[in-house]
Amino acid sequence: MFERGRILGKLETETKWQIKDAGRRTREAVQSAAARLQREREENWNELSSEDLLERLIERQILQNEGGKLRDIGTREAFAELCRQFVINEEKAKQQQQQQQ
């Protein structure tokens, strides 16, 4: 009879520990996700190079690269055109710098 009580007590203690551990891991995961989202919101895209900016826009599925041509996926056409012009201007500037060297 006492043996059952000891086994039940150990089982209860182990269950409480597992519940506390699961709660701690959940809290840590939520805090980590919240911090990651906050960092993403605070990113300053003004400091990105043209390649990095283009990569981010493609990564976020704002633009799509199809055989070297950029295609708008779901934004306004004016924004996509602005991005296209920016990339074209950056490529021209690079070509001019290479020619000057």
Side-chain angles (χ1 to χ4, degrees):
M1 184 117 169
F2 291 112
E3 184 67 27
R4 279 189 188 168
R6 279 194 289 268
I7 292 173
L8 187 58
K10 286 181 181 181
L11 180 63
E12 287 175 347
T13 303
E14 180 67 21
T15 302
K16 286 178 187 177
W17 180 85
Q18 287 179 358
I19 290 170
K20 284 182 182 181
D21 188 50
R24 178 189 55 79
R25 284 185 279 133
T26 301
R27 278 190 303 279
E28 288 174 357
V30 167
Q31 289 172 349
S32 173
R36 188 174 55 248
L37 285 173
Q38 184 66 26
R39 278 192 308 273
E40 287 178 4
R41 286 186 192 130
E42 292 175 353
E43 282 182 355
N44 186 358
W45 287 39
N46 291 332
E47 299 173 359
L48 295 176
S49 68
S50 60
E51 292 89 12
D52 292 337
L53 178 61
L54 183 60
E55 184 179 314
R56 290 269 177 93
L57 291 172
I58 292 171
E59 181 181 288
R60 303 247 177 163
Q61 297 181 351
I62 295 170
L63 296 176
Q64 190 174 37
N65 190 359
E66 292 180 350
K69 293 186 177 183
L70 296 177
R71 188 174 76 96
D72 177 23
I73 294 180
T75 60
R76 294 184 179 185
E77 195 60 35
F79 179 72
E81 183 60 30
L82 179 65
C83 293
R84 286 186 198 104
Q85 290 300 321
F86 178 78
V87 170
I88 290 169
N89 291 340
E90 285 293 315
E91 290 174 357
K92 287 180 183 178
K94 284 182 184 179
Q95 289 173 355
Q96 289 176 352
Q97 284 179 351
Q98 288 175 353
Q99 290 173 354
Q100 291 175 356
Q101 293 176 357

